Amino acid sequence: MEGWICSHGDAIQAILNAELLTNKVGNPGMRNRPRYIDIVTAFDIEATRLPDIEQAFMYVWQWQIGPDCLIMGRTWDEFLEVLHTIRGFILKGFGDRARLVVWVHNLSYEFQFLRGIYPFQRKEVLCMDSRKVVKCEMFKCFEFRCSYIHSNMSLDLFGKKMGCQIRKLIGTFDYDKIRYPWTKLTESELAYCKHDVAVLVEAITKEMELDGDTLATIPMTSTGYVRRDAKAAMQSKDGFRPWLREQLPDFELYLALREAFRGGNTHANRFMARKILEDVHSVDRSSSYPDVLVNCEYPISEFKHRGPCSMDRLIRQIEVHHYAMVIRIALFNVRLRDEWTGCPYLSKDKCRLIHNGVYDNGRILSADYLETTLTDIDFQIVRSQYAVDNPCVFDSWEAHYGYLPDEFRNLVNEYYRLKTELKGDEDQKPFYDKIKAKINALYGMSAQNPVKEDIVFASWEEVQKWYMKHTMFYMPAEGPNYIPNDDLTPEQQLAKYNRKAFMVYQWGVWVTAHARRELQEMIDLAGDNFVYTDTDSVKYVGDLDLTEYNSRIRVRSESNGAFADDANGKRHYMGVYEREQDYDRFITLGAKKYAYEQDGHCHVTCAGVNKTLGGPELEAVGGLEAFRPGFCFRKAGGTEAVYNDNVDFEIQRDGRPLRITDNVVIRPSEYTIGLTNEYTLLLHRAELMYQLHREMQMNRDLTI
């Protein structure tokens, strides 16, 4: 049959020649766990979209087994036949506990097709979210794992980062061409298919060699590496378990912490938006999250619930006694102290019961009344930026401040040292990229929500029962087979998490709070010249003197070991602001929506727009002048996924029957720049205010 690269026998022999990996000794819980066959395999499919019915089907699959064996087929029946054959030999050669790991890059895509040919049960599928599958099992023998979730990189980038000899073939495949299972594939098409699985096998193999892992120990997710290192570091602290136990939040405190948690600060100055600005500068804060993990203090004692608190006591606890605080607060007659403030701090999404609010793209300019939950860090920023009447703290918790354990901070510093020393060394690039990924994962690990909704894959009958139980009056006729797992209440989920925790949730809440405070200092320094900010960078016009801030941060980082020397002997410090390349021209239309020119070329950063294609497309239609509401990115609009669930029918194509089962259609998409009416009106008012302000500056005698 066309496309079969090696025989069943060759593939089976390669599997049987491998060894069974041994589970950890002495752990009773490991006795009945699967034992993995020590061979790396990778699976992939190619599918065709039928635009007339918006359905898709697989027309070729490829399965790389080890570095030398590749099986290809054209139908799902052929694939099932191969699975059953290989399973029989695995059972005879290794027993019923043996598992063959099959890596799939973006398993969520392939899973949508696999579920149409195999009746997955709830216990066979592990999800991170609806339609986000981490792993699935078939026939109690094959364990499919998602290498995209594992690496957090595209397949092309994953292969490059691991220094693979085999590379994904980019730009050689026409995805719009309709191919059927009986369509003869060209040599270049076959090569494209082969490379996709071959590079994945090589990348996973190299990564395990680099980290000393096996298929039994390699983490499922990209954050798993840093979690493993951090857990070992934390557990090496003397008296770690009782010290940590007293800090674990109860459910009421957890709810308050969830209310207080915010991510990075991303916002555009309403007085600068929609204008094409020239000579815009940008500064970026080096390793912002790692810096605050090492250099800042955190709640490191039990949070005591204090209930209502007067403002005098709150300020005294924060400024005199140096307590970490979580407060629920009510604010009356909220307004900015300076109406020209370009980056209001209070977020609409993090406030409650807002009455007569006026907003700047999701930020509060004024309100008659609101309630919110703040850390002491956020409270100080809000206090400096807003004037309020009769603030009322109606609930509060307090804990002692202190540094995170030295064992953990030393780990962060070691990551930074290795990254800095290896940067620029091409021979060590795979190791450098792994360390860099670990540093980037530090924040995600610290801010993990311990009571995140658990999503499970379920049969259609289970989905219907769930809706009948929870909605009574609504049951969908069709839809995704993903439902929340309500086996445990949120309180029970938190208790379960706390039993195995090696960090506490409040540390993650404080990481972003500290980083926002450091960012706010630079926003305030830019003042009226502030243009745009995103998490750890600030864009501005005019001049900005970084000397005092960076000198202070260098001293702080030096004292805490948060520095490293590169291969040329130059010293680098966490937390300092560094100048980036200037923008010749720049325009923003709000958060995550801006474009700029550098060296005569356009670049676009816009949620929903492909960065590589967006700049050239904008450039071709007039550049920044075209970056306006209503402009449609067609080439750079990316793609969208349309899921077809619980389908099974047959159609005729080329005079042959073609079976369509569960599938996902990937089709071209467009992105049109848009602004809400509320934001458009605000920007119009801001422009009028700005013009009036400029006129008053030029003519002090102007009367209104």
Side-chain angles (χ1 to χ4, degrees), residues 393-408:
V393 177
F394 56 89
D395 211 355
S396 67
W397 291 258
E398 61 186 39
H400 292 290
Y401 264 124
Y403 287 107
L404 296 179
D406 288 342
E407 293 81 359
F408 178 74

Side-chain angles (χ1 to χ4, degrees), residues 409-438:
R409 296 164 72 213
N410 290 340
L411 173 68
V412 180
N413 286 339
E414 178 65 8
Y415 280 175
Y416 185 74
R417 181 187 66 80
L418 287 171
K419 185 191 106 168
T420 305
E421 290 178 352
L422 295 172
K423 188 173 184 179
D425 187 341
E426 288 301 317
D427 293 335
Q428 296 293 325
K429 195 172 189 308
F431 192 50
Y432 166 80
D433 288 327
K434 286 290 291 184
I435 292 295
K436 185 177 179 181
K438 285 183 176 183

Side-chain angles (χ1 to χ4, degrees), residues 218-254:
I218 187 171
M220 289 285 182
T221 66
S222 57
T223 58
Y225 288 97
V226 70
R227 287 180 61 82
R228 183 169 61 187
D229 292 349
K231 185 176 182 179
M234 294 291 285
Q235 291 179 338
S236 68
K237 172 183 168 59
D238 290 338
F240 161 74
R241 182 52 58 185
W243 176 81
L244 187 77
R245 190 180 298 119
E246 73 169 9
Q247 300 177 55
L248 293 169
D250 60 22
F251 192 68
E252 186 60 33
L253 173 59
Y254 160 76

Side-chain angles (χ1 to χ4, degrees), residues 497-516:
Y497 176 87
N498 284 346
R499 285 194 290 272
K500 296 183 179 180
F502 61 91
M503 298 185 75
V504 292
Y505 181 61
Q506 52 262 37
W507 296 349
V509 176
W510 256 256
V511 167
T512 53
H514 281 307
R516 288 193 303 273

Side-chain angles (χ1 to χ4, degrees), residues 269-271 336 338-343 527-528 686 689-690 693:
N269 186 343
R270 63 192 179 282
F271 298 109
L336 290 169
D338 179 1
E339 64 181 358
W340 298 103
T341 298
C343 189
D528 292 343
M689 282 181 63
Y690 187 76
H693 176 66

Side-chain angles (χ1 to χ4, degrees), residues 20 33-37 90-91 93-101 137 139-143:
L20 270 184
R33 291 200 176 181
R35 294 187 62 188
Y36 295 105
I37 302 170
I90 288 176
L91 289 175
F94 296 114
D96 59 5
R97 284 176 55 202
R99 296 290 185 274
L100 183 66
V101 175
E137 189 177 286
F139 302 112
K140 296 182 180 180
C141 183
F142 305 98
E143 186 177 297

